[in-house]
Amino acid sequence: MDRHAIEKAGQVVKKYKTRDPDELIDLRNILLIQTDRFKDLLGYYVIYLRKDIIGINTRANPVLQRSAKGHELGHYFLERSEARSGANFRDTFFTA
């Protein structure tokens, strides 16, 4: 993890007074989609019709799901402008 990501995470925790990814998703009004459609994709972040969306694979165990939520929140907080331009972030893979 790069220094900028670590600093941003600290700022987020300080501002929202939580480290819980589910709380952050709720506080930022991000749509959480839970799906079992994917075989090896753990999570994704995208903006669709100006709505922030995080998708999480329910085939993963709860610990991996929580980690993926945090990872995708990283995309939200660090790379939102890229996502607005249509970029998708689907780089969290696992083996079920």
Side-chain angles (χ1 to χ4, degrees):
M1 189 180 308
D2 68 39
R3 185 174 182 83
H4 179 66
I6 293 168
E7 289 173 3
K8 185 63 174 180
Q11 293 169 358
V12 168
V13 169
K14 185 175 180 178
K15 180 176 181 176
Y16 296 101
K17 298 181 181 11
T18 184
R19 294 178 181 275
D20 185 308
D22 289 302
E23 287 181 29
L24 290 166
I25 288 168
D26 287 341
L27 288 168
R28 296 301 306 155
N29 197 29
I30 299 169
L31 177 62
L32 177 64
I33 296 176
Q34 298 186 3
T35 181
D36 65 355
R37 288 182 5 176
F38 304 107
K39 181 179 177 183
D40 59 357
L41 180 67
L42 187 52
Y44 62 89
Y45 167 66
V46 66
I47 298 175
Y48 182 71
L49 298 175
R50 297 190 325 218
K51 179 69 179 166
D52 294 291
I53 301 167
I54 289 178
I56 299 297
N57 192 334
T58 57
R59 293 180 188 213
N61 68 52
V63 173
L64 283 175
Q65 288 183 37
R66 179 180 170 90
S67 177
K69 289 173 189 174
H71 177 91
E72 301 309 332
L73 279 166
H75 289 301
Y76 169 81
F77 284 110
L78 293 169
E79 300 165 337
R80 196 160 182 236
S81 61
E82 289 90 344
R84 280 188 187 137
S85 69
N88 291 325
F89 303 100
R90 298 179 300 180
D91 58 355
T92 307
F93 293 91
F94 80 115
T95 303

